[in-house]
Amino acid sequence: MKKSLMASLFVFCCLLLIVQTATAAMNVRIVVDRLNVRTGPGLTFPMQGKVAKGKQYAVVQKRGEWLQIRLASNRTGWVYGKYVQMQNEQMEKKKQIQQLVVCQADGLRLRKGPGTTYAIIGYVNRNEKGTTTMIQGDWMYVRWDGKEGWVHRSYIANVEKNTEQNTEQNTEQNTEQNTEQNAEQNTEQNAEQNTYVQMLYDNTNIRSAASTQSSIITKAKRGDQFAVIRKEGRWYVIQVDAQTIGYVAEWIVQVTKRPAPSQKTIVGKTIVIDAGHGGKDHGTTGVNGTMEKMLTLQTVLLLGEKLKQMGANVIFTREDDRFLSLSERVYIAGKHQADAFISIHYDSALNRTASGLTIYYYKSIDRSLANAMFDPLSRLTGIQQRGIRSGNYHVLRENSRPSVLLELGYLSNPNEELFVMSQDYQQAATEAICNGLLQYFGK
């Protein structure tokens, strides 16, 4: 019985390893004309574009029958799996080459196969030279002096290119890799969902690919946290925002299974909450007659009570149905030196099927506040997350304080109008905003 159980467990682990290996390096080919690309994994999510038949894309992750694919400029989108053809990179024909290369990292792992799931069979040190004979995806088979095996190509350079790039590359690599000597060695494993990385340093580079030579798409502050999609070699693939992925090196982050608790609190922070519209300015009116100016006021008053209970100093731009100019709203934020300015609105569109909530920012100082709002708001059930977008709104553009404008749903969509009016949604949405502020002030 014991032997049978051990054998079953061994088979299960092997199957699991095979599945992980197969999904770790997957490409897809589009098999229909003008396939819809959506912002999330489902037909209820809005379209963000179309892709042409025959095009190939790398798969970021899979949820049910939906695949998140990598588009141009590190943007991502979701397509329905039945309209694509899977192409595992590990089954593709290996490219035969003959190229002299040099290792550009200390202790580079030499593996038995082209992927992190293969066993480590040795190590290569910086400046060791070898000959590449095969390339498969991002992996190279290299013959070194007395050893050979697979290494990730982000740590390898062609010898003829190395001379002109050596000074620039070593400067950046040494700066980032010196931190590795003062940190514990992370165990190499495939990143799981609900795993986060936390930045250890200010101005951490988030890159477009798993290499210190790739372009920087943004920078993160010390304490910033991002959800992990997977791990590629010594790099984490992270979700930067709703439609952008990036790469961050393992030696400059700390891994956690859940967002770390805040080291600071919201106590004593001045938060100006702005209920959009008011008085003669009704805002939009829903299909069922809901006036935006009244619903924003309802949301703001509920949010304000929760923030007061958490110890925040809450300032309302209005607490009743009265008109307030945009300039007056901005003035209130500046007068009270707001630590955060939150403007609450509800959306409208000619298309009655438009739905979802959107986070808007304008200035660079607003972005970290918008990022902090994204995670808790994206977890709300029953409503889509349309992501973080730049919005040229007066209350953001003319505001010197960190500020965001939240569109919490579409009143022009009759079903969503009823949903956002519900007490359950009002409680959940305001709770999510509070959690976003906690995350923001905890950085």
Side-chain angles (χ1 to χ4, degrees):
M1 178 66 182
K2 186 175 181 181
K3 289 183 178 180
S4 176
L5 180 61
M6 292 298 291
S8 299
L9 182 60
F10 176 75
V11 171
F12 173 77
C13 291
C14 289
L15 289 173
L16 182 60
L17 183 62
I18 290 170
V19 170
Q20 289 179 335
T21 301
T23 57
M26 185 73 71
N27 283 348
V28 292
R29 185 191 300 275
I30 309 302
V31 297
V32 296
D33 288 327
R34 296 178 58 77
L35 177 60
N36 294 334
V37 181
R38 297 185 178 273
T39 59
L43 293 173
T44 58
F45 287 87
M47 287 195 305
Q48 66 182 72
K50 294 178 181 288
V51 288
K53 182 178 179 179
K55 293 286 187 179
Q56 292 190 42
Y57 299 93
V59 174
V60 177
Q61 60 178 317
K62 182 178 181 182
R63 290 189 189 173
E65 294 185 323
W66 290 80
L67 301 169
Q68 186 182 29
I69 60 174
R70 184 186 297 179
L71 306 169
S73 302
N74 256 48
R75 308 300 289 175
T76 62
W78 293 83
V79 294
Y80 192 45
K82 290 187 177 181
Y83 300 125
V84 302
Q85 179 182 11
M86 300 290 186
Q87 294 187 317
N88 194 308
E89 287 182 359
Q90 295 179 7
M91 298 177 64
E92 294 176 357
K93 184 179 179 180
K94 298 179 179 66
K95 183 180 179 181
Q96 304 288 333
I97 62 170
Q98 195 79 11
Q99 173 66 53
L100 191 61
V101 295
V102 61
C103 176
Q104 296 194 315
D106 289 321
L108 178 61
R109 297 174 178 92
L110 192 66
R111 293 186 177 274
K112 194 172 183 179
T116 56
T117 56
Y118 289 90
I120 299 171
I121 57 176
Y123 294 89
V124 184
N125 292 320
R126 184 187 297 273
N127 295 329
E128 281 194 52
K129 294 181 180 180
T131 303
T132 300
T133 58
M134 283 186 292
I135 294 180
Q136 186 172 335
D138 287 331
W139 292 82
M140 308 174 82
Y141 190 86
V142 184
R143 290 194 176 96
W144 310 92
D145 185 16
K147 54 196 170 187
E148 58 186 79
W150 294 89
V151 294
H152 198 277
R153 66 191 305 172
S154 60
Y155 303 105
I156 300 299
N158 294 342
V159 169
E160 58 265 34
K161 294 182 180 179
N162 188 56
T163 302
E164 62 184 20
Q165 293 180 349
N166 191 54
T167 302
E168 180 182 352
Q169 181 169 354
N170 284 346
T171 299
E172 182 169 3
Q173 280 198 331
N174 286 337
T175 300
E176 295 182 333
Q177 289 183 337
N178 281 343
T179 62
E180 189 178 19
Q181 298 173 1
N182 301 320
E184 293 182 358
Q185 189 76 16
N186 290 327
T187 56
E188 185 153 349
Q189 58 183 358
N190 289 331
E192 301 173 357
Q193 288 187 353
N194 301 323
T195 298
Y196 294 80
V197 289
Q198 181 171 333
M199 306 298 114
L200 297 177
Y201 307 96
D202 283 330
N203 295 316
T204 296
N205 294 332
I206 297 178
R207 297 184 176 275
S208 60
S211 168
T212 55
Q213 297 299 298
S214 61
S215 59
I216 299 169
I217 58 176
T218 188
K219 289 180 179 285
K221 297 189 303 181
R222 178 180 179 180
D224 282 355
Q225 294 180 357
F226 300 90
V228 173
I229 297 173
R230 66 175 183 273
K231 194 174 182 187
E232 292 184 5
R234 301 181 69 194
W235 294 76
Y236 287 101
V237 185
I238 59 175
Q239 194 76 48
V240 179
D241 58 35
Q243 296 174 8
T244 308
I245 62 170
Y247 292 76
V248 63
E250 69 174 8
W251 56 86
I252 50 177
V253 298
Q254 175 181 325
V255 181
T256 177
K257 291 298 180 184
R258 59 184 61 86
S262 298
Q263 300 301 311
K264 302 178 184 177
T265 71
I266 204 169
V267 175
K269 299 296 183 182
T270 298
I271 303 170
V272 173
I273 314 175
D274 174 42
H277 309 286
K280 64 182 181 181
D281 178 8
H282 291 191
T284 189
T285 301
V287 178
N288 299 306
T290 304
M291 286 191 292
E292 183 184 3
K293 68 171 185 174
M294 300 307 296
L295 189 56
T296 59
L297 182 60
Q298 175 187 327
T299 305
V300 158
L301 294 177
L302 179 60
L303 174 61
E305 285 305 310
K306 291 185 176 183
L307 291 173
K308 287 178 181 178
Q309 291 173 13
M310 295 166 67
N313 175 30
V314 177
I315 307 293
F316 298 99
T317 56
R318 66 181 181 97
E319 297 181 71
D320 52 27
D321 182 22
R322 63 188 178 91
F323 176 77
L324 204 65
S325 71
L326 299 177
S327 297
E328 287 176 291
R329 298 168 196 264
V330 171
Y331 171 77
I332 292 171
K335 175 184 176 182
H336 294 279
Q337 292 292 289
D339 295 300
F341 174 92
I342 313 290
S343 186
I344 301 296
H345 287 258
Y346 288 88
D347 226 329
S348 179
L350 293 176
N351 181 359
R352 289 193 176 186
T353 64
S355 63
L357 61 87
T358 313
I359 303 166
Y360 287 100
Y361 76 101
Y362 184 77
K363 310 177 298 298
S364 59
I365 62 170
D366 303 339
R367 186 58 196 253
S368 58
L369 178 57
N371 287 341
M373 289 291 165
F374 174 75
D375 185 63
L377 285 173
S378 67
R379 296 177 186 273
L380 292 175
T381 58
I383 192 166
Q384 302 168 20
Q385 169 60 266
R386 296 171 66 90
I388 301 172
R389 304 183 183 186
S390 176
N392 188 16
Y393 297 109
H394 184 100
V395 294
L396 302 180
R397 184 183 66 248
E398 304 301 325
N399 203 328
S400 63
R401 313 307 299 170
S403 51
V404 292
L405 186 149
L406 306 179
E407 295 278 7
L408 294 178
Y410 277 78
L411 299 183
S412 54
N413 182 321
N415 294 327
E416 192 154 285
E417 177 186 4
L418 295 175
F419 176 75
V420 299
M421 288 175 59
S422 70
Q423 188 62 25
D424 286 346
Y425 178 73
Q426 291 291 309
Q427 290 289 346
T430 51
E431 192 69 30
I433 296 169
C434 289
N435 288 335
L437 286 166
L438 273 175
Q439 183 175 337
Y440 175 68
F441 291 120
K443 293 180 178 180

